[in-house]
Amino acid sequence: MTTPAQGLHSHVLATLGLAITAGEYPPGTVLRTDELARRFDVSRTVIREVVRVLESMHLVESRRRVGVTVLPTASWNVYDPQVIRWRLAGADRPRQLRSLTVLRSAVEPVAAGLAALNATPEQCRRLTEEALGMVATSRGRQLEAYLVHDIAFHRVVLDASGNEMFARLGDVVAEVLAGRTHHHVMFEDPDPAAVTLHVQVAEAVRERDAARAEALTREIAVGALKELDVLAP
Amino acid sequence: MTTPAQGLHSHVLATLGLAITAGEYPPGTVLRTDELARRFDVSRTVIREVVRVLESMHLVESRRRVGVTVLPTASWNVYDPQVIRWRLAGADRPRQLRSLTVLRSAVEPVAAGLAALNATPEQCRRLTEEALGMVATSRGRQLEAYLVHDIAFHRVVLDASGNEMFARLGDVVAEVLAGRTHHHVMFEDPDPAAVTLHVQVAEAVRERDAARAEALTREIAVGALKELDVLAP
DNA sequence: GTGACATAAAAGTCGTACTTTTCATTCCTG
DNA sequence: CAGGAATGAAAAGTACGACTTTTATGTCAC
């Protein structure tokens, strides 16, 4: 059922974190440390450390004489990669994918524009390489190979933007892309238009054409949003 | 020196977190739990809990037989509000403000566009109210009052977007705006053009004109970026 | 030099005892 | 009867000491 885990702490943290983000324990639910200790058959020490971490993610709040209270979704640290992973693994995965895709659609075009200004030659090379990789794997049911290049491509763009906040969204984008491939389509080959757009973005960055890189990436984003019916029809 | 704090844990966490994000302890530095326990004059229990939290923020990594290793900036959870606050309080505050402003410039226009589609009448009302508040306080050295309205305005936009990820950036935006006011200018009244733009954004949202709301917000963003010389001259 | 092995250092885990805060009840007073 | 002060107890917070587990490193034999 629950992951084996190579440490008690990780195991309990994963189990509890997953349960809370999945919506078992509605907000306001109170947990007590020694009850949890009994339930997981570990010492209170381990539970306390887990609770502290959960508290730093604002999933719970611990108060004396009360216990550990589960907090409402609104206060969760939704940018915490760990929280994102838990939520993507849980029930509201679709909702989560939507939110994240909208975030992507805002960030990536700007990142691409900055990348056109800041990318190193090496990054330009990798961008082209990955784009060509996407072309090569875009036909004939090579979804997994395609995904690898797609993820790498977007990661390079985010890194090349030179903005630390953007760069850290690489993992999020990877999750979203993987989620999309592994659910949604998986059967049909990727949209040829999208593939072309990626190649053109690589070109634009290489030519230092920021406006074009941004506009093209915005088109890619629109495509991704359409896939999820986020836009009005 | 260090904040009083209402608990040993908070105190140690704040001190260590601040120190690490400030760049004392270069990446690779190894700390040992019982040494820390002696240094802070607390039990190893407290230190362990702090380390676990720091670890969940990817500021450090704890390995057996090695100790607690400080990780490079690239792996930090830079979206953790706690980490953001520490970094804004520390040495690379300017760099941090730049990164965050670029993030804002990507997110807020899209959020405004969505807000035009999704804002409730109540949110429209509040938006107009805050915009007018900005107008009213935009002259005569009422920087603090102006700041309050400015923050509220942007918070409503992000909330009204209906996207959870955007909504959670409210605190970040608040920090950035506060940081700008309290350093940078503080002496001159805000740019009248910016004030007008805010009023127009409120209008556009009220009239459900998503494209206009987005474009106007983009103008506000460009202004903010110019202030920080992020753009090429 | 290379590989197996032993050593020890540090984190991980546990159990217990004690402190502190704070909610809730009771009881006293006006 | 209302309101507030004293009281009790529940739960988290802290401390300490003993033990386990992992693992980097130094050593020894080959």
Side-chain angles (χ1 to χ4, degrees), chain B residues 23 32-34 41 46 64 79 82 85 105 119 168 172 215 222:
Chain B
R32 263 145 311 122
T33 53
D34 40 7
D41 193 36
V46 171
R64 273 177 155 137
Y79 285 90
Q82 184 63 92
R85 248 170 280 131
S105 79
R168 286 298 279 165
V172 172
V222 169

Side-chain angles (χ1 to χ4, degrees), chain B residues 12 21 24 36 53 56 70 106 113 116 128 162 170 176 186 193 202 207 232:
Chain B
V12 176
T21 54
E24 317 172 21
L36 291 174
V53 171
S56 91
V70 177
T128 307
V176 173
M186 201 52 183
E207 293 165 5

Side-chain angles (χ1 to χ4, degrees), chain B:
Chain B
M1 188 81 213
T2 55
T3 320
Q6 77 288 26
L8 292 183
H9 177 83
S10 329
H11 173 239
V12 176
L13 180 62
T15 309
L16 263 183
L18 204 53
I20 293 175
T21 54
E24 317 172 21
Y25 312 118
T29 306
V30 203
L31 310 168
R32 263 145 311 122
T33 53
D34 40 7
E35 183 205 313
L36 291 174
R38 257 179 291 120
R39 247 190 45 204
F40 286 98
D41 193 36
V42 296
S43 71
R44 218 173 118 241
T45 312
V46 171
I47 296 295
R48 295 198 85 266
E49 287 171 11
V50 168
V51 167
R52 281 259 132 96
V53 171
L54 257 21
E55 207 174 8
S56 91
M57 297 169 172
H58 289 89
L59 296 186
V60 303
E61 185 194 36
S62 174
R63 286 171 56 199
R64 273 177 155 137
R65 166 65 212 238
V66 172
V68 178
T69 315
V70 177
L71 294 175
T73 317
S75 51
W76 296 354
N77 266 192
V78 287
Y79 285 90
D80 190 310
Q82 184 63 92
V83 173
I84 291 178
R85 248 170 280 131
W86 285 334
R87 298 185 73 189
L88 283 176
D92 61 8
R93 177 196 184 86
R95 241 178 62 80
Q96 182 72 358
L97 276 179
R98 253 166 246 269
S99 298
L100 294 175
T101 302
V102 172
L103 178 65
R104 275 189 64 197
S105 79
V107 166
E108 294 202 85
V110 176
L114 287 174
L117 301 177
N118 302 324
T120 66
E122 166 63 11
Q123 285 168 328
C124 290
R125 195 193 58 70
R126 284 214 47 204
L127 219 48
T128 307
E129 181 184 313
E130 301 300 346
L132 292 182
M134 289 175 72
V135 172
T137 55
S138 65
R139 296 172 50 151
R141 310 281 181 283
Q142 310 180 53
L143 277 305
E144 281 302 328
Y146 179 83
L147 176 62
V148 171
H149 290 297
D150 198 5
I151 289 177
F153 181 92
H154 289 275
R155 219 186 265 281
V156 174
V157 170
L158 291 169
D159 281 342
S161 74
N163 184 299
E164 171 188 51
M165 303 297 286
F166 289 170
R168 286 298 279 165
L169 288 177
D171 294 337
V172 172
V173 171
E175 293 282 1
V176 173
L177 293 176
R180 181 177 57 169
T181 301
H182 293 149
H183 275 60
H184 241 293
V185 240
M186 201 52 183
F187 300 118
E188 2 179 320
D189 285 343
D191 178 11
V195 179
T196 306
L197 282 170
H198 281 78
V199 175
Q200 290 175 315
V201 168
E203 260 174 39
V205 169
R206 206 169 47 233
E207 293 165 5
R208 305 284 172 214
D209 188 342
R212 185 152 169 264
E214 176 167 345
L216 289 166
T217 305
R218 216 169 280 285
E219 282 192 58
I220 296 179
V222 169
L225 288 173
K226 272 199 189 125
E227 257 183 32
L228 292 178
D229 313 317
V230 174
L231 294 177

